[in-house]
Amino acid sequence: MIDRRTMMTGAGAALGVAISARSYAQIKGANDRLRVAVVGVNGRGQAHLSAFSKQPNVAITHIADVDSDVLAKRAGEFAARGNAPVKTERDYRRLFDNKAVDIVTVATPDHWHAKLGVDALDAGKHCYLEKPIGIAPAEGEALIAAQKRTRRQLQVGNQQRSSPETQQLLALVRAGELGDVYEAQTWYANNRKSIGNGTEIAPPPNLDWDMWQGPRPRGNYRSNLVHYNWHWFWKYGTGEICNNAMHELDVARWLMGLTYPKTVSARGARHFYKGDDWEMYDSLALNLEYEGDRAIRWNGQSCNGQLTYGRGRGVLLLGTKGSAVVDRNGFELYDLAGKPIREVKAAATSETTGTVGEGVLDVYHARNFVDVIRGQASALASPIAEGHVSTTLCHLGNMAYRTNSVLTVDPATGKPASAEAMKLWSVAYQPGWEVRA
């Protein structure tokens, strides 16, 4: 194949004369094309497939999943939409040995995120990593170290950072439109159903159960665990706070210019379906208290879909001059009497309480990522350092809940003073599958 960097001499020069300008442009474009492998295609990976396929001169060439049925289904669907056929893999490590892959996107269960991210970076790939970035804060530290070591680009998938409307609100807040913003109230509401009571059985033949467990210590397969209910088991999941609160907590602290708090408290309970296998809270009230009498709060209701300000999720900013309500599809400004004074709506919408569907923010966020890789944009919308802080806020909420205590936190590192809570800063791994910095 003729490369744009090839010196054409002799027979090569003769061939070069025969190549039209249009043909050369196609060759040049092929050399600039970014080739993407999507790992985990049962859930959010579908949004990755859609969003990255809409980027200019980007080709999705590979998909990987531990479920052969899901893998075949997604490959068929992707081709049916008019895309070039993708290669499929059940073992992600074959992708990382493949020089024909430039970008790896990760949309697996939470316990895989950090391992895949570190391995992708160490293999020289750029990585788009779904939130949360790991199941314990130490995994975020490992990702930061890997990104610094490899100098590859690592974008965290909290896509509201790429919202033009939220960016517009950020400019207004920084200009003093709301005065001093002293509190953010955030929320999430859903109407999840019972996961029932599972039994330990042999895994289905289409599922590579050993590979599904990956970095986590090995255990028996359970009938109500895969593909979604792992979220509610501490061994593999991180609860609703990491599953959904990270989005709004990230937006709140971004708009307020905050990082780690000084104290963290969480009041949680299981109010619904108490007899099933769900191990965590289904309702949680989180309080993050910052220096200067500032606060961020989150109200999570997994099984009660009551809307707040007409939204299933969002952020309310309270300031000394006014307030703002913002979600993925726009914002409203209010004066101190609660009178609406301005409304900005997105031209195209993004999903709010769903977990799979691609919205316009997924497309924007992927575009920012590929633009930075190509040198056409100067900064990632959500770099790993920012993603680590926001993920750690969620982990601290789980730590406060699980230790039934108010945590005193080091504002510089995010680490709690509690020795009991620090036991949850990292997790155990299956030997040979460790996540290392």
Side-chain angles (χ1 to χ4, degrees):
M1 184 180 72
I2 297 176
D3 186 273
R4 61 179 171 160
R5 293 173 291 272
T6 301
M7 292 289 291
M8 293 188 293
T9 59
L15 179 61
V17 170
I19 297 176
S20 68
R22 180 178 178 183
S23 298
Y24 183 74
Q26 289 174 338
I27 294 171
K28 182 178 186 294
N31 289 333
D32 286 342
R33 186 170 294 121
L34 292 172
R35 298 155 300 183
V36 179
V38 180
V39 183
V41 290
N42 184 65
R44 278 290 292 167
Q46 297 174 73
H48 290 199
L49 288 168
S50 181
F52 278 90
S53 66
K54 293 178 180 177
Q55 304 309 317
N57 211 15
V58 171
I60 296 175
T61 56
H62 297 75
I63 62 174
D65 202 281
V66 298
D67 187 322
S68 59
D69 287 354
V70 169
L71 198 58
K73 182 179 181 181
R74 296 292 177 252
E77 291 170 345
F78 192 69
R81 291 195 291 270
N83 300 295
V86 294
K87 296 179 180 179
T88 61
E89 294 286 357
R90 294 188 72 181
D91 188 333
Y92 76 96
R93 290 170 293 193
R94 295 192 184 98
L95 300 176
F96 294 175
D97 292 336
N98 193 332
K99 293 182 179 179
V101 172
D102 304 301
I103 292 171
V104 171
T105 83
V106 178
T108 61
D110 296 356
H111 66 280
W112 260 111
H113 288 185
K115 176 64 175 171
L116 281 163
V118 170
D119 285 357
L121 295 169
D122 282 338
K125 316 301 183 186
H126 302 289
C127 183
Y128 183 104
L129 183 63
E130 272 299 328
K131 39 57 52 190
I133 59 173
I135 59 173
E139 295 194 330
E141 295 172 331
L143 284 161
I144 289 172
Q147 193 280 320
K148 289 180 178 178
R149 178 173 66 250
T150 63
R151 298 182 180 274
R152 299 290 89 187
Q153 299 298 333
L154 177 55
Q155 176 95 300
V156 179
N158 41 340
Q159 66 269 25
Q160 197 170 336
R161 289 261 182 158
S162 289
S163 161
E165 295 74 33
T166 307
Q167 292 170 355
Q168 181 181 350
L169 178 58
L170 175 66
L172 293 173
V173 170
R174 289 177 174 174
E177 186 85 8
L178 301 181
D180 294 327
V181 179
Y182 56 87
E183 183 172 322
Q185 297 175 7
T186 71
W187 64 93
Y188 175 82
N190 206 335
N191 186 24
R192 301 189 187 279
K193 304 306 179 183
S194 172
I195 67 172
N197 299 107
T199 57
E200 291 186 356
I201 59 173
N206 53 291
L207 180 70
D208 185 337
W209 173 235
D210 187 71
M211 183 62 80
W212 188 94
Q213 294 175 90
R216 299 301 278 137
R218 296 295 177 260
N220 294 327
Y221 178 80
R222 193 170 187 84
S223 61
N224 63 345
L225 186 67
V226 178
H227 280 289
Y228 191 81
N229 292 336
W230 55 265
H231 279 288
W232 323 122
F233 293 83
W234 289 115
K235 185 175 182 179
Y236 305 110
T238 51
E240 200 75 87
I241 193 170
C242 283
N243 189 35
N244 275 299
M246 181 186 166
H247 287 294
E248 279 66 45
L249 294 179
D250 178 68
V251 168
R253 72 168 195 83
W254 179 39
L255 294 174
M256 295 177 72
L258 298 173
T259 54
Y260 294 118
K262 61 179 183 178
T263 63
V264 178
S265 60
R267 178 177 53 83
R270 188 79 201 281
H271 292 297
F272 298 84
Y273 318 117
K274 294 182 181 181
D276 69 9
D277 291 337
W278 186 314
E279 293 180 350
M280 305 172 179
Y281 49 85
D282 57 31
S283 308
L284 188 78
L286 173 72
N287 289 297
L288 308 172
E289 303 289 342
Y290 287 83
E291 297 289 346
D293 295 322
R294 304 174 81 192
I296 298 176
R297 313 191 193 284
W298 181 70
N299 180 40
Q301 298 294 328
S302 297
C303 302
N304 185 330
Q306 177 62 41
L307 303 181
T308 301
Y309 300 104
R311 295 164 163 86
R313 65 189 315 152
V315 177
L316 166 67
L317 297 180
L318 298 174
T320 56
K321 291 183 179 179
S323 303
V325 177
V326 58
D327 66 9
R328 297 173 178 181
N329 297 311
F331 66 89
E332 297 106 43
L333 299 181
Y334 299 85
D335 65 17
L336 288 178
K339 177 183 176 182
I341 57 176
R342 187 174 181 183
E343 181 179 19
V344 175
K345 288 187 176 181
T349 61
S350 283
E351 58 87 18
T352 54
T353 57
T355 59
V356 175
E358 171 245 293
V360 69
L361 296 188
D362 294 300
V363 179
Y364 293 164
H365 211 45
R367 181 61 183 269
N368 166 256
F369 178 52
V370 299
D371 281 352
V372 170
I373 291 171
R374 289 187 168 125
Q376 296 171 354
S378 60
L380 293 173
S382 184
I384 184 58
E386 287 292 290
H388 174 59
V389 174
S390 294
T391 303
T392 299
L393 295 185
C394 300
H395 290 316
L396 289 169
N398 276 336
M399 291 177 189
Y401 166 77
R402 296 179 74 179
T403 60
N404 193 28
S405 62
V406 176
L407 303 181
T408 300
V409 174
D410 182 344
T413 65
K415 291 185 176 181
S418 163
E420 185 181 6
M422 277 301 294
K423 293 177 182 177
L424 301 172
W425 192 261
S426 59
V427 294
Y429 297 106
Q430 175 72 11
W433 291 85
E434 294 84 358
V435 176
R436 293 191 173 96

